[in-house]
Every structure is written in C-alpha cells, then in structure tokens.
C-alpha cells in the first residue's frame, strides 16, 4: 500500500502507485448516477429510490404442473434450532490518542509475537537493533512491512485442524521494505546505483513468513525452530498454473517455457481457502520493476498497450532500483526491458510474472508456491472466499487497488467437496485453475452485473482493436484490458474485502480520494466528480492544511442475487468522518467512540463481527491509526441521502455505539493492518506496519519518529521502530470483543 518513502514524491520517471493507468472510456459512477437520476421514482413515504432498485429484489412464483392432482400433504416442519444470542460489543471504547504504543480496552492485554529481523530458527543471532544481520539470514528471519495474515489450526499430527486454537500456523505478508530503512545499519545508501548487499537483504525481507504459534499459560508465542517455520521471498521459485501457464507472455531467461518464475512481491492483503492453504496477493509490484528509455521501439504495438495499461511505460524507474545493484541474475531480472534477441534471453516479461494470487501450503514447508493465473492479473489487494457450500462452486472476491480500477469475482468450475480439506495445493489446482473470472458493473437502478471475462465471448478475441486477445492466458494476464472492453465500472481504489459468514454479503473498503472535485468543476487529468458510490466532496482541515475531495473514505457492500450468479445489489455501509463534521459529511452519524478515517483492512470473525482497520493520513493530527469492531446490518437497511457536495447516494443504517466501537489505537505514524483470530475467538492477531515512517532518523543518536515496539513496555526506550505482529487477549481469558 505504500511507496518506500510515502512522503517523498517520485521523480518524473519513477513508479508512482497513485498513477492512473486506466484510460478506457468506460463510465465512472458519475455517469451511472446521471442515468439513475433520470429514472428516479418517488415512493409513498418519501423515499427517493424504488425499493426494487435499492434492494435488487426478484419476485419468484412457483411453477404449476397443470395436472389437477391434489397437492400432497406438507411434511411436518422441523423443529428450529435455537437462535444464537445476538452479537453485542462488550468493551469500553478506546479514546483517540497520539501515544507511542498500542492502546487496548480495560481488561485486555497485548504482547509482541514477532517483529522485523526476529529469527525463525536457531543458529541465527537475535535482532541486535543495528542492522548488522546478514542478507542471507533474512531467508530465515521475519521480514519487513507486516501486512495481511491468516491463522490455521495445527493438529498434533501436523495437519490442518480448522477448529484448533492453542496451536497453529500464522502466515504473514511482508509487503515492502519500510522507510526509514531500519533494515540497514544507517538506512539506505544514497546514489543512483544500489548497494548489492543492501538489495539482497531487501529481496529476502519481502514476501511471506510462516511461523508456528502456541498458546500456553504464559501467553501465545512463536515456536522458534519449528519444522513448519518458513520464509517465502522475492527469490523463491514458484510455479505458474491455470490458463496462462506456458504462455509466451510469461517466458523469461529463468523459465523459457513460461511455467515457473522467482519471487512474490509487495504482498498486501491476503486470503485463505476452505481446504487449508494461504493466499497471498501481489499489489504494488511495480515498486521493484523498471523499464528502459527507448524500449517501445523494441516491442510490438500490442505489447506497448499492455505495458502502459499496467503502469510501466518506457523510462520508468522503480523506487527500489534493485536492477542497478549488479549484473547477476538476482538483480538484472528486475529490469523488464528488451536486451536480448528473444524473451528467452532476458527479462522483458518480468512485469507479467507479477500481479497474481499466490497459493502457499503452510503445512508442506518444501512445497512450491503456485501463482493461480485463472484469478487474473492486476494490483491484487487480496482474495476473499465466500463461505464454501457443498455441491456449489468456490467463489473468490478481489479488488484492484488503484484509482479507476475494478472489482472482480472468480467462480470455480469444480463444486466444493469437504473431502478436499487438507489436500493442499492439489485441492488448489482443482478449484483455482479452472473457473470463470468476472468484473463488476454497477447499473443505474442500484443493481449490478458480473461481466464474464472469457476468451471468445463479449468481443474478447483477436478482433478487439484496442488489444487483440490471443487466448484465455492473454485475457487473464491482461485482465484490466479485458475489463475495459466489457465496460466495467471504474471504482475508487478498492482495498480490502471481507465476506459476512452469516449472510454472505461482501464488504470492500474505498480508503480515500483527494482527486475528487466539485460537481461544478471541470475535471482534468485523473480527477473525478462525486458519484453515487463515491458521493462526497468536502473540505477537511488537518491542522491548518485544507484537504479536499473525500479525505476520510468509506466502505461499500453488496449482496449477490440468490438465483443469478451475474447479478448483485449494493449500498454504502459506512462513511469515515470526524465526529464533529457536518451531517452531510458524517453521513453515518459517527461519534467520539467510533469516528475514523481511511478504512483499509477488513475482517469478519466466525461470529459475524466485522473488524475495520485504518491506514490514514487525514486524521492523524488528532489520533493515530486504529481498529474498530462492528456488528453490521445488511444491504438495504438504510436509505437515500444527500452527501456533501450535493450528490445523492444510498447509505446503510447509521452507526451507534452498540454497532461500531473503537477497539484499539496504534503507535505513532503507523498503519494498523492484517488481522486473524483463533477459532475460539480468544486470541486476536494484528499487525503494526511502518511505525515512525514520517520521521527523519538520526542513526547515531537513535532519534526516530517512533520507538515501537520497544516503547510498548518501556517508555524510555530508544530503539529502532519495527513492523510487528501483536497478540491481543482478554485478561480473564474470554472471547475478544464481546
């Protein structure tokens, strides 16, 4: 989610993860709104949108057999199971604060599970707070930039046990190397060419860690030396599977057949599978890939279209500059330029080998991770499954985390069979290598359509003039271009998603957008007017600085049609806002116990409680980033509203202290991200990423913007800030949140 130096603007030829690369003519939600307003109907009772439009309801009538036979007597109704007790938030809200520690409610306690540089095995020295650890050791140490994660119960036999809480495997993404580069002795060495030893360390500090965790009387800790402990890095060999496997688009000097690659990068959010494997998702992969000036002349016109659409025009340098560290393959492969006679001679296709969903079997430490190409290639924030139902397909939801990009859904060809639990990557091949990829279109009447991205359908073939598709491998590799062709709806930076286990409704964060302009303005460049799904334009003050657009973000949600895989209905669940903001800004009625800004991470626990995390820069003059607990309603529980700036929208029911409450606040200058919970709901894990990221360090004096995690237990500590995984429990051993 972050550039290595978020406060430093990229040079003109460097990668900018805020760049708009969708130049298609597909309508924004503003165009949808205009059509919606032209069809509005006024209902009795004062609502401004028809109930059918808002709820997307479909009336069903039973079929008659017309044989005039008497109807059979109805079977006796089964005795209903007792309804579970209503879910209630049971803690006192944590106050907003600027402390350099994790603040939790009274009755709760925190501990640090692991942080950057902690060794997974015996034989490597413990973290020394001086950046002296060797590059090689980071293949066995916890990486940097902790992000998405998931907990898998571990049986005594070393297999997946979904209901086990006292022993498990915790998979954690390490998204990027965090500025101010505490990974190195005195930060990153300056210069146009990178230091090879530093780059090697950074390559190994990216990726994923798998660590065994145990809950004992003294608390939950990492099991150092466990045979399951593993690092997957930017140098790990991986297999391609699905329709793009073996495609010429994936051929490189490393794998001339396009069947393998090395590494996974910028792993942001995540997912999991019902059979017990971890899904890690490649987001801002252009952070590590460059392309030379003059490269267009060495490419076909079709190639240039694809490269530009994925944000890698010629003469674009990555902020990491890994390719400048030497001619060895470890470094040269980050240059996606034509330098040889054919793709087998260079790494011109490196860019195509990233942007995928990667499946890892945490229970098989020697297994080769699989990049599941059927799920499409784009800036994956994550991949979130709907609840698995026997005899029905597996469904995965995905967001493309960039402005003007799309929301996707994958539906497996195979139907779910619970006998596949524990079958690892074999089950993954069954459910994730064949299926149908869809992209979302939001209709004017409040319903939505899933548009099929299949070669040979809807003009996705060689006759497409903007980009002639060759086969399904080409479609999934260039899913953005396929979505452009079908007229999918451009959205504002879809971030994390989560699926309610109680009703299968899907939630997705739209974190913020400073690029919104007033309805009366004429947009230029990548600017957008407000629309029904992103309706607010307002000014918010951060100190003496005016922030305009939609600085505080919101959460959208949708409900699938029960009878048609291609239909859904949507509304906006929550609007981020400061408690004292105007009513047309604070549309969800937030108060001091639950106001927030820039929602990012989302997670539903098994009880149906929703956890909301923030990655904020708009409200940080008042409070550090935070996590909230919510008892959500359902699509259609609110109604029509007019947002700041005059745009009409559809909102969910207002929040109250009983339905949304602040659970914790993080340390200085951090992002709160990644969340997992044990099946008994008694241990919660979450990540603190980049504490102290805005500070200018004095390495000799050990002066930093934050001293966390050392400051969690010692307010006088002057140690380097590190990303880390935190364990939260109740002091009485009870369930979290209630």
């Amino acid at each position: 989610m972050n550039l290595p130096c978020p406060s430093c603007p990229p040079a003109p030829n460097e990668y900018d993860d805020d760049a708009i690369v969708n130049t298609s003519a597909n309508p924004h939600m503003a165009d949808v709104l205009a059509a919606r307003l032209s069809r509005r109907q006024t209902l009795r009772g004062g609502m401004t949108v028809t109930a059918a439009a808002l709820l997307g309801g479909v009336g069903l009538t039973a079929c008659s057999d017309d044989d005039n036979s008497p109807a059979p007597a109805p079977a006796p109704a089964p005795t209903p199971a007792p309804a579970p007790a209503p879910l209630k938030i049971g803690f006192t809200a944590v106050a907003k604060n600027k402390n350099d520690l994790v603040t939790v409610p009274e009755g709760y306690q925190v501990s640090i599970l692991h942080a950057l540089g902690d060794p997974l095995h015996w034989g490597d020295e413990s973290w020394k707070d001086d950046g002296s650890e060797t590059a090689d050791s980071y293949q066995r140490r916890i990486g940097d930039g902790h992000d998405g994660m998931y907990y898998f119960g571990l049986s005594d036999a070393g297999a997946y046990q979904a209901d086990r809480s006292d022993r498990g495997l915790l998979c954690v993404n390490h998204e990027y190397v965090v500025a101010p580069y505490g990974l190195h002795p005195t930060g990153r060495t300056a210069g146009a060419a990178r230091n090879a030893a530093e780059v090697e360390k950074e390559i190994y500090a990216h990726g994923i860690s798998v660590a065994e965790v145990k809950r004992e009387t003294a608390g939950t800790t990492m099991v150092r030396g466990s045979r399951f402990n593993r690092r997957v890095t930017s140098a790990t060999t991986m297999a391609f599977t699905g329709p793009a496997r073996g495609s010429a688009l994936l051929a490189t000097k490393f794998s001339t057949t396009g069947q393998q690659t090395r590494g996974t990068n910028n792993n942001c959010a995540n997912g999991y599978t019902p059979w017990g494997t971890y899904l890690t998702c490649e987001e801002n992969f252009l952070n590590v890939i460059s392309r030379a000036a003059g490269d267009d002349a060495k490419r076909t016109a079709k190639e240039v279209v694809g490269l530009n659409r994925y944000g890698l025009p010629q003469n674009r340098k990555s902020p990491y500059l890994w390719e400048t560290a030497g001619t060895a393959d470890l470094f040269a492969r980050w240059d996606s330029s034509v330098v040889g006679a054919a793709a087998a001679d260079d790494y011109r296709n490196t860019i195509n080998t990233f942007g995928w969903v990667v499946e890892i079997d945490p229970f098989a430490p020697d297994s080769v991770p699989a990049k599941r190409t059927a799920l499409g290639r784009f800036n994956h924030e994550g991949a979130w499954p709907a609840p698995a139902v026997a005899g029905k397909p597996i469904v995965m939801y995905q967001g493309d985390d960039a402005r003007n990009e799309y929301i996707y859904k994958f539906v497996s060809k195979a139907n779910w069979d619970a006998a596949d639990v524990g079958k690892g990557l074999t089950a993954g091949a069954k459910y994730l290598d064949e299926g149908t990829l869809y992209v979302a279109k939001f209709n004017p009447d409040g319903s939505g359509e899933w548009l099929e991205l299949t070669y040979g359908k809807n003009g996705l073939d060689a006759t497409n003039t903007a980009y002639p598709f060759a086969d399904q491998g080409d479609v999934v590799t260039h899913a953005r271009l396929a979505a452009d062709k079908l007229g999918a709806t451009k959205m504002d930076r879809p971030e994390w998603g989560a699926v309610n286990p109680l009703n299968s409704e899907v939630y997705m964060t739209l974190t913020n957008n400073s690029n919104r302009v007033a309805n009366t303005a004429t947009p230029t460049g990548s600017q957008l007017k407000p629309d029904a799904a992103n309706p607010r334009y307002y000014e918010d003050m951060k100190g003496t600085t005016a922030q305009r657009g939609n600085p505080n973000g919101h959460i959208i949600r949708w409900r699938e049609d029960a009878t048609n895989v291609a239909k859904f209905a949507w509304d906006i669940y929550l609007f981020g806002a400061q408690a004292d903001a105007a009513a047309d800004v604070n549309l969800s009625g937030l108060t001091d116990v639950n106001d927030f800004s820039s929602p990012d991470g989302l997670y539903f626990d098994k009880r149906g409680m929703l956890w909301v995390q923030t990655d904020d820069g708009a409200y940080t003059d008042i409070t550090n980033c935070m996590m909230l607990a919510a008892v959500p309603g359902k699509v259609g529980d609110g109604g029509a509203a007019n947002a700041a700036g005059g745009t009409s929208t559809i909102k969910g029911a207002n929040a109250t202290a009983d339905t949304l409450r602040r659970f914790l606040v993080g340390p200085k200058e951090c992002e709160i991200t990644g969340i997992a919970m044990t099946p008994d709901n008694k241990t919660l894990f979450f990540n603190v990423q980049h504490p102290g990221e805005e500070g200018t360090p004095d390495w000799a004096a050990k002066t930093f913007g934050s001293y966390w995690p050392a400051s969690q237990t010692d307010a006088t500590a002057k140690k380097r800030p590190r990303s880390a995984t935190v364990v939260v429990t109740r002091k009485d051993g009870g369930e979290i949140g209630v």
Side-chain angles (χ1 to χ4, degrees):
M1 278 176 257
N2 299 283
L3 285 169
C5 179
S7 61
C8 305
N13 61 347
E14 284 188 351
Y15 172 61
D16 175 10
D17 70 349
D18 280 330
I20 303 297
V21 294
N22 186 354
T23 57
S24 70
N26 295 351
H28 287 281
M29 287 302 297
D31 304 309
V32 173
L33 173 64
R36 176 194 293 267
L37 293 177
S38 70
R39 295 169 173 80
R40 289 174 69 180
Q41 300 180 32
T42 301
L43 294 179
R44 293 176 184 175
M47 287 187 67
T48 56
V49 184
T50 68
L54 175 61
L55 301 179
V58 178
L60 300 178
T61 305
C63 299
S64 169
D65 58 11
D66 289 333
D67 66 358
N68 296 318
S69 301
T79 302
L87 190 61
K88 293 183 179 180
I89 298 174
F91 57 86
T92 301
V94 170
K96 293 168 282 190
N97 67 75
K98 298 277 288 179
N99 301 329
D100 197 23
L101 52 80
V102 173
T103 309
V104 293
E106 182 66 30
Y108 285 80
Q109 57 194 358
V110 303
S111 62
I112 308 304
L113 182 76
H114 59 53
L116 165 68
D118 286 344
L120 286 161
H121 297 280
W122 301 107
D124 291 311
E125 289 185 302
S126 296
W127 169 261
K128 294 170 64 177
D129 194 39
D130 61 5
S132 63
E133 296 78 21
T134 65
D136 175 74
S137 73
Y138 270 88
Q139 298 180 85
R140 302 175 300 277
R141 294 182 184 274
I142 296 298
D144 205 355
H146 295 49
D147 211 306
M149 63 179 167
Y150 197 78
Y151 172 91
F152 297 90
L154 177 66
S155 73
D156 290 337
Y160 176 44
Q161 183 179 335
D163 63 352
R164 184 151 190 186
S165 296
D166 64 338
R167 185 186 182 204
L169 301 180
L170 189 69
C171 299
V172 177
N173 289 348
H174 299 289
E175 184 186 12
Y176 74 117
V177 177
V178 172
Y181 296 93
L183 187 69
H184 305 310
T186 56
R188 170 174 158 174
T189 301
R194 293 294 312 280
N195 176 289
E198 290 179 7
V199 169
E200 185 177 3
K201 186 185 285 191
E202 292 174 15
I203 287 171
Y204 297 145
H206 276 69
I208 299 92
S209 64
V210 180
E212 182 179 345
V213 295
K214 258 186 186 178
R215 179 201 292 164
E216 298 175 317
T217 304
T220 298
T221 57
M222 181 179 75
V223 181
R224 187 172 176 180
S226 168
R227 68 184 180 90
F228 295 102
N229 290 0
R230 178 187 187 186
R231 283 299 318 284
V232 176
T233 74
S234 293
T236 302
T237 297
M238 302 190 174
F240 285 113
T241 71
R245 175 179 169 85
S247 168
L249 294 168
L250 302 180
T252 64
K253 186 177 179 180
F254 175 73
S255 177
T256 59
T257 62
Q259 296 183 18
Q260 286 189 322
T261 189
R262 284 174 298 179
T264 184
N265 271 90
N266 298 99
N267 305 82
C268 191
N270 62 300
Y272 65 94
T273 68
W275 51 94
T277 59
Y278 184 64
L279 302 179
T280 185
C281 302
E282 299 171 340
E283 187 201 10
N284 291 320
F285 50 92
L286 288 180
N287 277 345
V288 295
I289 301 172
S290 296
R291 186 167 166 242
D295 194 58
D296 279 357
K298 302 176 182 179
R299 304 278 192 162
T300 66
K302 176 180 174 179
E303 285 181 290
V304 172
V305 170
L307 289 162
N308 288 338
R309 184 63 180 85
Y310 277 77
L312 192 65
Q314 61 182 353
N315 198 30
R316 179 62 74 88
K317 295 180 180 179
S318 82
Y320 284 102
L321 298 175
W322 283 353
E323 77 283 357
T324 68
T327 58
D329 242 29
L330 185 66
F331 312 125
R333 65 193 178 99
W334 304 107
D335 183 359
S336 198
S337 304
V338 174
V339 296
D345 302 319
D346 56 29
Y347 289 96
R348 67 186 68 179
N349 288 327
T350 281
I351 182 173
N352 295 337
T353 66
F354 292 97
W356 304 102
V357 173
V358 183
E359 185 179 14
I360 297 170
D361 184 354
F363 300 92
D366 296 326
S367 59
V368 176
K371 296 200 176 189
R372 301 295 188 191
T373 67
L375 279 69
R377 173 176 157 265
F378 39 86
N379 282 31
H380 282 278
E381 184 75 15
W384 299 279
V389 178
K392 300 291 185 181
I394 294 296
V395 178
M396 293 280 176
Y397 296 98
Q398 306 169 92
D400 186 350
D401 183 10
R403 290 175 295 173
N404 294 2
E405 295 300 344
Y406 306 123
I407 294 171
Y408 296 82
K409 176 174 77 168
F410 174 81
V411 180
S412 68
K413 179 179 178 181
N415 291 329
W416 172 239
D417 182 350
D420 289 323
V421 172
K423 292 185 179 179
L425 298 179
T426 300
K430 175 180 177 180
Y431 295 106
L432 300 182
D433 283 349
E434 290 187 88
T436 305
L437 185 63
Y438 297 89
V439 67
K441 181 179 180 180
F442 291 78
N443 289 326
D445 63 357
S447 65
E449 301 174 57
W450 292 109
L451 309 174
E452 185 175 346
L453 300 178
T454 298
Y455 178 75
K457 294 185 178 181
N458 303 318
L460 300 181
D461 53 32
T463 65
N464 182 37
T465 55
Y467 182 89
F469 293 97
D471 50 30
Q472 186 62 16
D474 201 357
V475 170
V476 295
T477 303
H478 294 98
R480 285 177 170 177
L481 286 161
D484 293 346
K485 169 63 178 177
L486 270 60
T489 305
K490 296 176 180 178
M491 301 297 290
D492 284 347
R493 204 153 202 159
E495 292 253 13
W496 286 56
V499 185
N500 190 334
L502 304 183
N503 61 16
S504 295
E505 292 186 350
V506 190
Y507 291 63
M508 190 164 285
T509 51
L510 300 172
T511 300
N512 52 46
N513 189 354
S514 60
N515 244 25
R516 289 282 168 193
V517 296
N519 277 315
T520 56
T522 301
T524 61
S526 61
Q527 291 178 333
L528 304 172
K529 289 185 178 182
D531 56 58
N534 307 275
R536 295 181 299 175
Y537 174 81
Y538 57 100
E539 181 180 282
D540 180 67
M541 298 302 295
K542 181 180 180 182
T544 58
T545 302
Q547 304 170 109
R548 297 181 179 87
N550 176 24
N552 303 123
H554 54 283
I555 303 172
I556 199 165
R557 64 183 174 184
W558 64 91
R559 183 189 66 244
E560 297 281 0
D561 190 299
T563 62
N564 190 332
V565 71
K567 302 292 183 182
F568 65 92
W570 62 273
D571 69 6
I572 296 177
Y573 167 54
L574 283 177
F575 292 87
Q578 190 166 327
D580 59 0
D584 57 359
V585 173
N586 187 7
L587 286 166
S588 296
L590 305 182
T591 66
D592 279 329
V593 303
N594 56 24
D595 62 340
F596 67 92
S597 176
S598 300
D600 192 342
L602 284 180
Y603 175 82
F604 270 104
D605 65 32
K606 299 183 187 307
R607 303 164 299 184
M609 185 171 284
L610 178 64
W611 300 87
V612 181
Q613 300 171 316
T614 68
D615 178 15
D616 184 39
Y619 201 19
T620 48
D621 56 329
I622 303 297
T623 181
N624 298 337
C625 286
M626 65 185 67
M627 182 160 70
L628 306 97
V631 179
K634 59 184 179 180
V635 173
D637 62 10
N642 289 319
T647 302
S648 297
T649 191
I650 306 167
K651 64 184 279 303
N654 275 7
T656 69
D658 292 327
T659 63
L660 181 69
R661 203 174 296 178
R662 188 176 303 104
F663 179 70
L664 64 82
V665 176
K668 292 180 179 179
E669 300 172 14
C670 80
E671 171 188 344
I672 299 297
T673 185
I675 179 171
M677 196 177 289
T678 52
D680 63 4
N681 306 307
K682 294 182 177 180
T683 302
L684 182 150
F685 305 91
F686 76 95
N687 289 320
V688 172
Q689 189 185 85
H690 64 68
E693 72 165 343
E694 297 173 17
T696 300
D698 183 329
W699 301 102
K702 290 193 172 183
T703 303
F704 308 110
S706 167
Y707 298 99
W708 192 90
S711 59
Q712 188 70 36
T713 55
D714 181 359
T716 65
K718 295 189 69 175
K719 292 187 177 181
R720 298 177 182 222
R722 295 191 281 165
S723 297
T725 297
V726 183
V727 180
V728 182
T729 55
R730 271 175 47 170
K731 293 178 180 178
D732 64 4
E735 291 191 20
I736 304 292
V738 295

